[in-house]
Amino acid sequence: MPRNAAELAHRLAREAEAVCRHYLSNGRRVGNYWLVGDARNTSGRSMFVRLKGEDIGGRPAGKWTDAATGEHGDLLDVIRESCGLVDFHDVTEEARRFLSLPRSAPESDYRPRGSPAPTGSPESARRLFAMSKPIVGTLVETYLRGRGITELHGIGSLRFHPRCYYRPEADAPTETWPAMIAAVTDLQDHITGAHRTWLDPSGRDKAPVDTPRRAMGYLLGHAVRFGSAGDVMAAGEGIETMLSLRCVMPGMAMVAALSAAHLAAILFPATLRRLYIVRDDDPAGDGAVAGLFERAQSAGIEAMVLSPQDGDFNEDLRNSDVSALRAALRIQLTPEDAGRFLSTGL
């Protein structure tokens, strides 16, 4: 029985034409290739799957390339996309079912999935978020509390996925890790993307992988949102940065844009009158602050900058405490907002 994803992909490659006829039924064989529109079984000819790998110097059987998009992968990817699967455990179970192999524990009946969703699309992001669960009592809660973040009410935009699909490189074996899933939404709260933070199974840190954070879907202008938009809002780059500020300002609406470039491009709610731009202490952060500051002022929105003592506000929280963070913010807010939003300390 195949012991890992690479071995399972190899077994599928030996049956490449049968896999294509079953999962890419809208295509057809032309010579040594199966031609189809894409990995989601759309009619067309832009994607080609190598059926045999005897050619010297050629790609092995089962490898595919979509000439229209530049995407490429193996037959496990074909199963994932054509069946609309997100959880890699479900992908391997479907592959085992096709190959008539014993199922891995725990046993479960095969359940056909709905229509496929393009890789990285908003629909794929929505499915990933829907397949995740609330963070209470999960590794996400353990991880956040370990970073000093204790105000965890009203953050339904974050969820937990116990086995989130992770591929280090395009041709590398697929791995699964627990992950924090964040919904990226537009101003109408429609999910346009998702952000994944893969976690170590202990919950003490991020997973020991090269890129433990990745985003998917449409991000430009959108953000991970905490609280309903009103006349005052804070905007910054990182999820943990904004959650740190929520520990002392739980009533202020906040958004995490996920990167400096996306912070500079966030869209403004129609009700917004004052924007606190949360700065990260690095050149990219300074550039994002300058760009967003200018955009806000041009839109008639008062813009103010919140600066950390260390690299970011999560570092401030972890290196001191909530009381010190509260004191540092009090002198940076307007008196009105300090009285309105700063939680009272003991």
Side-chain angles (χ1 to χ4, degrees):
M1 184 173 69
R3 291 169 292 181
N4 54 42
E7 195 170 343
L8 192 57
H10 181 70
R11 289 286 296 271
L12 289 169
R14 297 208 312 245
E15 308 291 337
E17 184 170 351
V19 173
C20 290
R21 289 188 181 279
H22 183 78
Y23 294 102
L24 300 176
S25 57
N26 286 324
R28 63 188 181 92
R29 179 169 182 167
V30 178
N32 190 35
Y33 295 94
W34 189 266
L35 302 186
V36 70
D38 55 35
R40 294 164 290 281
N41 197 25
T42 303
S43 298
R45 297 170 58 87
S46 66
M47 173 177 157
F48 49 96
V49 186
R50 179 178 286 274
L51 300 179
K52 295 182 180 180
E54 295 91 353
D55 294 350
I56 297 176
R59 292 172 66 93
K63 295 294 185 178
W64 59 269
T65 300
D66 190 331
T69 65
E71 292 178 298
H72 52 89
D74 59 25
L75 293 175
L76 284 172
D77 297 309
V78 166
I79 290 176
R80 181 191 65 186
E81 294 303 312
S82 64
C83 294
L85 303 174
V86 175
D87 190 322
F88 190 66
H89 176 77
D90 293 337
V91 178
T92 58
E93 289 302 288
E94 170 62 12
R96 290 174 186 278
R97 186 198 67 80
F98 178 82
L99 293 168
S100 300
L101 293 170
R103 292 181 179 273
S104 60
E107 294 253 347
S108 61
D109 294 330
Y110 171 67
R111 298 182 299 276
R113 298 299 174 118
S115 58
T119 302
S121 69
E123 178 59 25
S124 183
R126 286 190 284 270
R127 289 186 179 183
L128 176 60
F129 191 74
M131 294 172 73
S132 304
K133 61 182 182 180
I135 69 169
V136 176
T138 70
L139 283 179
V140 172
E141 182 175 7
T142 301
Y143 170 73
L144 293 176
R145 290 189 182 279
R147 300 186 71 81
I149 298 167
T150 57
E151 177 57 51
L152 300 178
H153 299 291
I155 55 173
S157 55
L158 299 183
R159 288 191 180 180
F160 171 64
H161 195 299
R163 295 185 306 274
C164 189
Y165 183 28
Y166 176 84
R167 172 168 285 181
E169 298 175 356
D171 294 326
T174 302
E175 306 170 9
T176 58
W177 294 88
M180 177 171 71
I181 310 299
V184 178
T185 58
D186 60 18
L187 294 177
Q188 289 73 46
D189 289 327
H190 299 142
I191 295 178
T192 66
H195 184 268
R196 297 151 291 177
T197 303
W198 283 275
L199 303 175
D200 185 90
S202 68
R204 290 191 295 267
D205 205 346
K206 291 180 284 294
V209 296
D210 289 340
T211 53
R213 293 188 178 106
R214 290 181 185 173
M216 61 193 294
Y218 300 155
L219 308 182
L220 192 64
H222 311 313
V224 180
R225 302 180 190 278
F226 306 112
S228 300
D231 58 332
V232 179
M233 183 178 79
E237 294 181 38
I239 292 171
E240 291 154 39
T241 292
M242 304 314 294
L243 290 179
S244 298
L245 290 179
R246 286 190 82 252
C247 289
V248 295
M249 296 191 296
M252 183 182 290
M254 299 188 182
V255 302
L258 304 176
S259 73
H262 288 104
L263 176 60
I266 63 165
L267 299 176
F268 305 130
T271 56
L272 188 62
R273 297 294 175 264
R274 180 156 51 247
L275 175 66
Y276 287 100
I277 305 173
V278 180
R279 174 178 165 266
D280 281 0
D281 191 14
D282 56 44
D286 289 338
V289 167
L292 185 55
F293 193 96
E294 183 176 348
R295 283 187 56 231
Q297 288 194 320
S298 297
I301 297 168
E302 180 183 7
M304 302 183 70
V305 178
L306 300 180
S307 295
Q309 301 295 312
D310 297 313
D312 58 47
F313 279 106
N314 186 244
E315 286 188 31
D316 285 5
L317 179 61
R318 296 166 69 192
N319 292 339
S320 52
D321 56 27
V322 170
S323 297
L325 180 57
R326 184 184 297 108
L329 287 171
R330 187 175 297 278
I331 61 176
Q332 300 187 60
L333 300 173
T334 68
E336 174 190 357
D337 290 339
R340 178 181 173 188
F341 294 110
L342 275 180
S343 61
T344 57
L346 296 179

